[in-house]
């Protein structure tokens, strides 16, 4: 069993059945033997971008994540402190939170964002 954290764009690609999500990544997410997590940071990021008109995404992400069988990963106080202490390899606060959560919880991140690999975290390309 693998424990996977999916980046925001991966979550959206999965929901939209977007061909940008590669077959290996798609197979890992679909595998019922794997535990797939979606961070509260993902819901936060999507909600903000929707509210300012930068993103069109479904409503009720909480229910959708549950329907998809994903584990919802809350943001803890420790995650917040750890995200703030990370080196400045990435300036996006949502991605920094995903890195902090991945490190704290021992998760592999499925992402197309190459900057995340600059941190001490295992990444899986969302494009393959």
């Amino acid at each position: 069993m693998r424990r996977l954290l999916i980046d925001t764009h991966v979550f959206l690609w999965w929901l939209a059945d977007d061909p940008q999500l590669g077959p290996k990544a798609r197979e890992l997410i679909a595998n019922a033997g794997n535990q797939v997590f979606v961070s509260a940071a993902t819901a936060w990021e999507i909600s903000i971008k929707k509210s300012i008109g930068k993103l069109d995404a479904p409503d009720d992400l909480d229910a959708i994540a549950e329907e998809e069988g994903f584990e919802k990963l809350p943001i803890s106080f420790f995650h917040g402190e750890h995200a703030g202490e990370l080196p400045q390899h990435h300036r996006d606060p949502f991605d920094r939170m995903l890195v902090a959560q991945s490190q704290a919880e021992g998760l592999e991140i499925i992402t197309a964002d190459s900057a995340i690999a600059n941190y001490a975290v295992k990444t899986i390309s969302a494009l393959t």
Side-chain angles (χ1 to χ4, degrees):
M1 174 182 75
R2 294 174 82 169
R3 294 169 35 90
L4 309 167
L5 177 60
I6 57 176
D7 202 341
T8 302
H9 58 275
V10 174
F11 180 59
L12 293 170
W13 290 351
W14 174 266
L15 296 180
D17 199 24
D18 192 307
Q20 290 182 87
L21 185 58
K24 179 184 174 192
R26 191 175 299 277
E27 181 181 316
L28 286 168
I29 294 167
N31 184 335
N34 292 333
Q35 214 175 357
V36 181
F37 292 85
V38 177
S39 173
T42 290
W44 180 21
E45 180 178 15
I46 291 169
S47 295
I48 288 173
K49 289 181 178 177
K50 279 179 63 173
S51 74
I52 61 175
K54 289 182 81 175
L55 181 66
D56 183 32
D59 293 324
D60 202 4
L61 295 173
D62 190 344
I64 291 170
E66 200 163 301
E67 288 169 10
E68 293 294 324
F70 298 147
E71 301 283 337
K72 293 176 274 185
L73 182 61
I75 297 172
S76 72
F77 204 86
F78 177 79
H79 294 149
E81 284 186 314
H82 187 56
E85 295 167 354
L86 288 170
Q88 292 294 319
H89 300 311
H90 208 307
R91 300 192 62 82
D92 184 309
F94 302 109
D95 288 325
R96 292 171 60 81
M97 178 55 69
L98 295 181
V99 169
Q101 288 181 304
S102 176
Q103 289 178 340
E105 307 301 326
L107 306 172
E108 301 173 77
I109 301 177
I110 300 179
T111 185
D113 185 341
S114 60
I116 289 177
N118 292 322
Y119 292 97
V121 64
K122 184 164 183 189
T123 61
I124 298 165
S125 173
L127 304 174
T128 60

